[in-house]
Amino acid sequence: MSVTRRGQGVFPWMKGAALAAVTVLAAVSTGFYPTVLIPLLALTTGALVLFAPAIAAIAFVVILAIPIAASNVIVGLAFLVVGVAAVQYLGHDGAKVFVALCVTFLAAGAGVEWAVVIAAGYILGATEGAIAALVACMVIQAAGALTGAPAIGVTATGGSADIAALLRFPVQVDRPLAFGWFLEGLRGIEVARFTESLSGVRNVMLLVAQPLLWAVGAAAAGSLKRPAEDSRRPVVGVLAGVVGVAVVFVACAVAMKVFGGPVGLGRMAVAALASGAIAVGVIAVWEWVFPPQVVPTSAARPGTTAADDADVDELLRLIADAEEELASKHTVQTVVMITDMKAFSKMTEEDGSVVTAKMIQRHRDLLLPVIEKYRGHGKSTGGDGLVAAFETPTDALGCAVEMQRTLTEFNAGRPGERDILIRIGVADGEVILDRGGRPFIGVALNTAARVMNLGDGGQVMTTATIMDKAGRHTFTSGSVGTFELKNIAEPVEVFELLWAPGQQVRPPAVLDEE
């Protein structure tokens, strides 16, 4: 089965019209391009969306970057570099995210930007919608800051007169398309003045908070979307529009109050009502005018050879697609850590399940924040252990040391009670990560587990490869020998990390147990 939408052939034309409209607005507002050229530019970007969406996005970035560079070369070049880089992501999948960003910017002029943010969150889904909202807010903030506007719509931008002096629109340039102004701009670059002007940005904390709050609202709307076959989907979609706008309104109103933003509560309330109505209208049209249609992947009759072949072909295609995505997006070379509590079975037998469960949760509460502190992505193994992935061996080993010290300090504050003791294994290699960037399965995880099994409570065990990459002078350690580990092709030299004063290397406690 697959999902299509009634009348979906009109979608590319709608995207083309939206991008053309934004191109006209951008070109007119800069005052750079000759009037007769503006319709041609708009038609070009709009038409490109139909055939090459990513190229259309790049064309729009270039069209806007040229007049910005004519006003200030540094800002223009920076905009061009960042814009083209962003298009590598925003221009994929028919440039849906990029078009949503552009329409949000267009709506900000009327103060209804939240409507587009929430509708995009619902239509694109929680993840892509949140990204579109985050980037759109940052673009609006940057535009307002560079033009000196303290707010665009109901979005605080931190603009000031000092920053506004960097860009002056409309751009007054003789023979703009001759590009003689570019050489003059290069000769007149004043980096010190540019950096001094940036210090005039206002409401920095609000500028950091706003994009995140928009993303939360968009994700909230997207997360409420029901499956295509659910009859409640349209009604829930309308509710999602209301909830999403309410989330953004309340969160941004609180942020404006806390950080002293330039937009009053009354103005924000009016914008929320208008945005909510528009978002609900857009979602209603999306669900009732262009409803999802679940159709069979193959038209072959059930029970026929053709139907059986179609089922097999579809299954093989799904497996191939999943394998390709798994290999390209989730299989990486990284550093993996795995932990295990000492005497877990004995603890369960002597203390009971409830007390043991509390102990496990306490150990997670203590150690997962340490993993995050060292830029790791960790989770529970489902039992008494943790697994985590790190970008560098230094981060992984530093985390292991702090984890052991954290437990030591915790145990010292509870005299007479059972200590929480863990052993830790660290290794690197190929591993498959889940969506949260945490290790799921792979050679690195297997090696880390085998290395950990050579240790006892309070020990950190790792490989010679990890120690070499981290730098043996960085951490105190000692070799415990070279071992043939189960299901590991080559012998592995194992080191114990000595994290406590006076600690000595101990021989392996258990030889590679399951």
Side-chain angles (χ1 to χ4, degrees), residues 122 221 224-244 279-281 283-289 291-292:
Y122 181 82
L224 292 175
K225 183 159 57 177
R226 307 297 299 171
E229 62 274 12
D230 193 332
S231 60
R232 300 170 297 172
R233 178 180 172 120
V235 175
V236 175
V238 169
L239 177 63
V242 175
V243 171
V280 166
I283 294 173
V285 170
W286 179 253
E287 293 296 353
W288 272 294
V289 179

Side-chain angles (χ1 to χ4, degrees), residues 330-334 336 389 429-433 439-445:
H330 301 288
T331 303
V332 298
Q333 294 284 333
T334 192
V336 171
E430 186 179 84
V431 69
I432 295 174
L433 304 179
F440 174 64
I441 193 172
V443 174
L445 192 58

Side-chain angles (χ1 to χ4, degrees), residues 81-437:
V81 172
V82 173
V84 171
V87 165
Q88 300 303 310
Y89 172 77
L90 301 178
H92 88 296
D93 196 15
K96 292 186 296 186
V97 175
F98 183 80
V99 173
L101 186 157
C102 292
V103 176
T104 304
F105 189 84
L106 194 65
V112 291
E113 55 266 41
W114 294 341
V116 183
V117 167
I118 299 309
Y122 181 82
I123 293 171
L124 300 179
T127 301
E128 282 195 314
I131 293 173
L134 184 78
V135 177
C137 186
M138 294 172 66
V139 169
I140 294 172
Q141 289 178 168
L146 292 174
T147 55
I152 295 179
V154 287
T155 307
T157 62
S160 67
D162 291 338
I163 302 178
L166 291 174
L167 295 180
R168 296 189 181 278
F169 296 122
V171 179
Q172 303 296 328
V173 177
D174 294 331
R175 301 178 63 199
L177 299 182
F179 289 94
W181 50 265
F182 184 70
L183 294 178
E184 295 179 6
L186 288 176
R187 287 192 291 266
I189 287 178
E190 298 179 17
V191 177
R193 176 174 170 270
F194 176 78
T195 54
E196 288 175 4
S197 298
L198 291 182
S199 63
V201 176
R202 299 172 180 174
N203 303 112
V204 175
M205 293 302 297
L206 182 58
L207 300 186
V208 173
Q210 272 183 153
L212 299 177
L213 300 177
W214 282 29
V216 169
S223 65
L224 292 175
K225 183 159 57 177
R226 307 297 299 171
E229 62 274 12
D230 193 332
S231 60
R232 300 170 297 172
R233 178 180 172 120
V235 175
V236 175
V238 169
L239 177 63
V242 175
V243 171
V245 171
V247 168
V248 176
F249 165 60
V250 173
C252 289
V254 171
M256 287 282 183
K257 183 68 175 177
V258 171
F259 300 118
V263 184
L265 180 60
R267 182 178 167 191
M268 296 181 74
V270 171
L273 291 174
S275 295
I278 295 172
V280 166
V282 170
I283 294 173
V285 170
W286 179 253
E287 293 296 353
W288 272 294
V289 179
F290 303 104
Q293 297 176 320
V294 181
V295 298
T297 303
S298 172
R301 295 188 306 275
T304 66
T305 302
D308 292 341
D309 289 344
D311 288 342
V312 172
D313 289 343
E314 177 66 8
L315 179 60
L316 291 175
R317 184 187 64 78
L318 291 173
I319 292 173
D321 290 346
E323 183 179 15
E324 181 178 350
E325 180 177 2
L326 192 65
S328 62
K329 293 185 178 181
H330 301 288
T331 303
V332 298
Q333 294 284 333
T334 192
V335 182
V336 171
M337 168 195 291
I338 187 167
T339 76
D340 177 54
M341 290 182 67
K342 179 182 179 180
F344 176 70
S345 299
K346 181 180 179 181
M347 185 191 311
T348 304
E349 182 179 351
E350 294 181 355
D351 297 344
S353 300
V354 174
V355 173
T356 303
K358 290 181 179 179
M359 189 76 79
I360 292 174
Q361 188 58 52
R362 176 59 61 87
H363 126 277
R364 292 176 185 172
D365 293 340
L366 288 169
L367 300 186
L368 285 175
V370 179
I371 292 173
E372 293 179 4
K373 176 181 176 181
Y374 284 84
R375 296 165 291 280
H377 300 276
K379 65 177 180 179
S380 167
T381 60
D384 61 317
L386 302 173
V387 292
F390 297 85
E391 293 185 2
T392 69
T394 303
D395 284 342
L397 296 181
C399 177
V401 168
E402 184 160 340
M403 288 168 72
Q404 294 289 15
R405 290 174 178 170
T406 297
L407 290 179
T408 299
E409 183 178 345
F410 175 75
N411 293 333
R414 301 162 54 255
E417 298 185 29
R418 186 187 294 274
D419 289 341
I420 299 178
L421 297 175
I422 66 168
R423 52 184 179 175
I424 301 175
V426 179
D428 64 349
E430 186 179 84
V431 69
I432 295 174
L433 304 179
D434 64 16
R435 290 185 180 274

Side-chain angles (χ1 to χ4, degrees), residues 335-337 393-394 396-397 400 424-428 447-448 450-455 459-470 472 475-481 483 485 492-498:
V335 182
V336 171
M337 168 195 291
T394 303
L397 296 181
I424 301 175
V426 179
D428 64 349
T447 304
R450 299 301 179 190
V451 168
M452 177 196 72
N453 285 340
L454 298 175
Q459 287 186 286
V460 177
M461 314 301 285
T462 187
T463 65
T465 302
I466 289 290
M467 292 305 306
D468 289 338
K469 291 180 179 179
R472 299 201 179 185
F475 298 91
T476 304
S477 65
S479 175
V480 297
F483 301 90
L485 301 179
V492 177
E493 185 179 7
V494 178
F495 279 72
E496 180 182 357
L497 203 63
L498 304 177

